[in-house]
Amino acid sequence: MAFIIAEPCIGTKSGECVQVCPVDCIHPRQDEGEFENVDMLYIDPVTCINCGACAAVCPVAAIFPEEDLPEKWSSFIAKNAEYYQ
């Protein structure tokens, strides 16, 4: 997995990251039915191309390269991957 969305996204889901992603790997989008039912957005680990565009625009600094993810949020690696299973 290239990038991980972590705890600061919970309750925010601002969507700037979705808009700049060149491969549409961040979901759910606001136009998707499950958007209202989830607490945060998720990055598809298979589709992500590790470009970093999402991290650069995140207003709550919730997106990290996996190797830079703070240890306290390590559970979000599995949480992002599980969303796409």
Side-chain angles (χ1 to χ4, degrees), residues 61-84:
I63 305 174
F64 301 86
E66 183 174 352
E67 61 272 8
D68 294 337
L69 183 68
E71 180 64 31
K72 65 183 177 182
W73 293 327
S74 63
S75 65
F76 284 86
I77 295 171
K79 190 171 184 169
N80 277 255
E82 288 168 5
Y83 180 81
Y84 291 95

Side-chain angles (χ1 to χ4, degrees), residues 1 25 43-49:
M1 182 177 295
C25 72
I43 294 177
D44 183 343
V46 175
T47 308
C48 180
I49 60 170

Side-chain angles (χ1 to χ4, degrees), residues 19-77:
Q19 296 170 5
V20 300
C21 180
V23 293
D24 190 32
C25 72
I26 304 172
H27 293 272
R29 294 184 314 264
Q30 287 182 339
D31 64 347
E32 294 175 325
E34 69 266 22
F35 182 82
E36 294 299 324
N37 299 324
V38 298
D39 293 335
M40 58 179 281
L41 302 176
Y42 303 91
I43 294 177
D44 183 343
V46 175
T47 308
C48 180
I49 60 170
N50 199 24
C51 71
C54 57
V57 300
C58 181
V60 294
I63 305 174
F64 301 86
E66 183 174 352
E67 61 272 8
D68 294 337
L69 183 68
E71 180 64 31
K72 65 183 177 182
W73 293 327
S74 63
S75 65
F76 284 86
I77 295 171

